[in-house]
Amino acid sequence: MPSRLKPEDQERVDHYLSAPQHQVERRPFRPWLLLVLVLAVVLALGLLSRLLSRLVL
């Protein structure tokens, strides 16, 4: 894919992206862990809501 930048601008962008602070290793994204976390939060808030409703009523 050709760049829409001028060559000198593209060189500056490449230099910026090759800097050490932009080369951070990241762990792979794990969607199942996110799903479990969201379900746990929803269940916990639901149980807390039921507990509070029984205490009030």
Side-chain angles (χ1 to χ4, degrees):
M1 180 171 151
S3 175
R4 294 185 294 184
L5 297 175
K6 295 179 182 176
E8 55 272 0
D9 291 335
Q10 183 64 48
E11 183 179 331
R12 288 183 17 213
V13 169
D14 292 338
H15 178 70
Y16 176 82
L17 292 177
S18 66
Q21 64 265 27
H22 301 293
Q23 302 295 322
V24 177
E25 280 291 321
R26 297 179 188 260
R27 294 187 318 183
F29 177 66
R30 296 183 288 180
W32 290 110
L33 180 62
L34 179 61
L35 180 64
V36 168
L37 181 65
V38 168
L39 286 175
V41 168
V42 168
L43 286 172
L45 289 175
L47 291 173
L48 179 64
S49 173
R50 286 180 182 248
L51 175 68
L52 289 175
S53 70
R54 289 190 185 207
L55 290 175
V56 171
L57 295 176

